[in-house]
Amino acid sequence: MSDQHSFETLAIHAGNTADPLTGAVVPPIYQVSTYKQDGVGGLRGGYEYSRSANPTRTALEENLAALEGGRRGLAFASGLAAEDCLLRTLLTPGDHVVIPNDAYGGTFRLFAKVASRWGVEFSVADTSDVAAVRAAVTPRTKAIWVETPSNPLLGITDIAAIAGVARAAGARLVVDNTFASPYLQQPLALGADVVVHSTTKYMGGHSDVVGGALIVNDPELSDELAYHQNAMGAVAGPFDAWLVLRGIKTLAVRMDRHCENATKVVDLLTRHPKVTQVLYPGLPEHRGHEVAAKQMKAFGGMVSFRVAGGEEAAVGVCNRAKLFTLGESLGGVESLLEHPGRMTHASAAGSPLEVPGDLVRLSVGIENGDDLLADLTQALG
């Protein structure tokens, strides 16, 4: 499919070729491990074993590449599986990475507890500060890692500016685009080398699948990642790939509603006497507002806020919510809330990535906006 089509059209049609045998408009779930060969080495369509390639996964990978404007997409069993494959492809013992001072706790754990054991070093920097990132770079820096918006403090990084820092250092720029989704932001077009997704979140969109993805433009890096994907084996299964592919078809309309509801929630929170700070890049007073307005189509469905009364008050808000479901993860059609310090970011406790105890994170869903406001009002008390 031509990349000249609109995002909404690509989301529905890219990779979704009608089945040549039956004409089915939805790609089949190829629940298969191996494939009949027409003589030794006589592969049909290049398929020999489903760790190496599977037609359902291929459909998803083609779709992911189209949506991010990349040459190649690779689908994994989880977001962390995608990150692990990327680290092992880009880095060798002794290499250095600059990581954000606000990032998903699992990403920090991967660097601090796993990659560090085989000799990868990292420095923490405020990636919204270009000078701070530049100062953190060393002669051994091979990658700069960015989340924008970041998790859970909703920080914004100027992707194009940091891409310039990375190029000057001879390093790769990796952008985790999970919070924005490709509908709101396309990092490759802004100079990133690799885009990372937890497809569990907005891409799947229904809290019923776990998956991850990498999207790249560089052909050599693409081949290296594909080699490691096969060699390491943490690939997306066919049913999981099918679920993500199905979810992506409604990504654009879902994201419009997520953003609309988030704006209503932010308006309520900014006026509530028990809320001391609202973290949302759509607010004009947000430190990264101008950059976000420049590189994003809209400001997303994630909102964080701080509660008067400290950590116990924040936990109380989480426990009193009824329509907002208390749970980890994000990006589903249903609204979720959590206490990052005790839940998703517990692994960052005591580190430079530790989050405030009075923080509550919302994943604003696509329910009726007034119902969500009523629930937050009663939860805040």
Side-chain angles (χ1 to χ4, degrees), residues 166-208:
R167 282 193 300 272
R172 305 275 193 178
L173 175 59
V174 179
V175 177
D176 186 331
N177 202 30
T178 297
F179 267 29
S181 87
Y183 180 61
L184 300 184
Q185 178 174 269
Q186 296 183 326
L188 293 177
L190 297 170
D193 296 291
V194 185
V195 173
V196 176
H197 279 284
S198 170
T199 56
T200 309
K201 312 304 193 299
Y202 285 110
M203 306 291 264
H206 294 79
S207 302
D208 56 8

Side-chain angles (χ1 to χ4, degrees), residues 10-362:
L10 289 172
I12 293 170
H13 292 283
N16 286 275
T17 306
D19 178 48
L21 179 64
T22 66
V25 297
V26 175
I29 301 171
Y30 284 88
Q31 194 67 48
V32 60
S33 59
T34 193
Y35 305 82
K36 174 178 168 54
Q37 299 188 17
D38 299 320
V40 175
L43 308 182
R44 301 184 190 183
Y47 295 103
E48 57 181 328
Y49 188 62
S50 276
R51 184 190 69 249
S52 304
N54 174 282
T56 313
R57 193 172 88 229
T58 297
L60 171 60
E61 292 177 336
E62 290 177 357
N63 185 273
L64 292 166
L67 296 188
E68 285 286 5
R71 178 185 295 267
R72 189 168 192 173
L74 299 163
F76 294 83
S78 69
L80 282 170
E83 293 184 9
D84 182 49
C85 179
L86 177 60
L87 294 185
R88 297 199 203 205
T89 302
L90 291 181
L91 307 174
T92 57
D95 288 343
H96 174 263
V97 183
V98 178
I99 69 170
N101 65 346
D102 180 36
Y104 169 51
T107 298
F108 173 73
R109 183 177 58 228
L110 182 62
F111 278 101
K113 304 297 184 182
V114 180
S116 63
R117 294 179 62 187
W118 53 281
V120 170
E121 299 177 5
F122 66 91
S123 297
V124 176
D126 178 357
T127 59
S128 67
D129 183 340
V130 178
V133 175
R134 188 179 291 113
V137 169
T138 78
R140 294 180 289 108
T141 301
K142 294 296 188 294
I144 299 174
W145 194 284
V146 164
E147 287 184 16
T148 184
S150 64
N151 182 5
L153 299 179
L154 282 301
I156 297 296
T157 295
D158 187 328
I159 297 171
I162 301 301
V165 175
R167 282 193 300 272
R172 305 275 193 178
L173 175 59
V174 179
V175 177
D176 186 331
N177 202 30
T178 297
F179 267 29
S181 87
Y183 180 61
L184 300 184
Q185 178 174 269
Q186 296 183 326
L188 293 177
L190 297 170
D193 296 291
V194 185
V195 173
V196 176
H197 279 284
S198 170
T199 56
T200 309
K201 312 304 193 299
Y202 285 110
M203 306 291 264
H206 294 79
S207 302
D208 56 8
V209 62
V210 173
L214 301 173
I215 303 96
V216 295
N217 264 329
D218 182 84
E220 183 177 349
L221 178 58
S222 165
D223 289 344
E224 291 175 358
L225 288 168
Y227 175 85
H228 282 81
Q229 180 192 41
N230 180 55
M232 294 162 60
V235 296
F239 185 49
D240 290 345
W242 186 88
L243 284 171
V244 175
L245 195 60
R246 181 181 66 166
I248 285 173
K249 292 180 180 181
T250 59
L251 177 62
V253 292
R254 285 187 287 106
M255 290 306 298
D256 284 340
R257 184 59 172 266
H258 285 300
C259 294
E260 177 187 339
N261 279 349
T263 300
K264 295 178 180 178
V265 165
V266 167
D267 182 60
L268 169 71
L269 294 173
T270 55
R271 293 182 288 106
H272 200 286
K274 293 188 178 179
V275 174
T276 60
Q277 185 182 17
V278 180
L279 305 172
Y280 186 67
L283 289 169
E285 62 267 28
H286 187 284
R287 177 183 173 191
H289 176 72
E290 291 185 7
V291 172
K294 177 181 66 174
Q295 67 188 21
M296 298 177 71
K297 181 177 180 179
F299 300 108
M302 298 300 298
V303 180
S304 291
F305 63 97
R306 301 179 73 171
V307 182
E311 182 167 348
E312 292 306 319
V315 171
V317 171
C318 293
N319 288 335
R320 286 190 296 272
K322 297 177 181 177
L323 187 55
F324 277 83
T325 300
L326 178 61
E328 298 189 358
S329 198
L330 58 104
V333 293
E334 65 287 302
S335 293
L336 301 173
L337 89 169
E338 63 127 359
H339 184 268
R342 297 190 184 184
M343 295 171 68
T344 54
H345 289 68
S347 61
S351 80
L353 279 74
E354 182 173 3
V355 298
D358 60 358
L359 188 76
V360 176
R361 191 192 74 180
L362 305 178

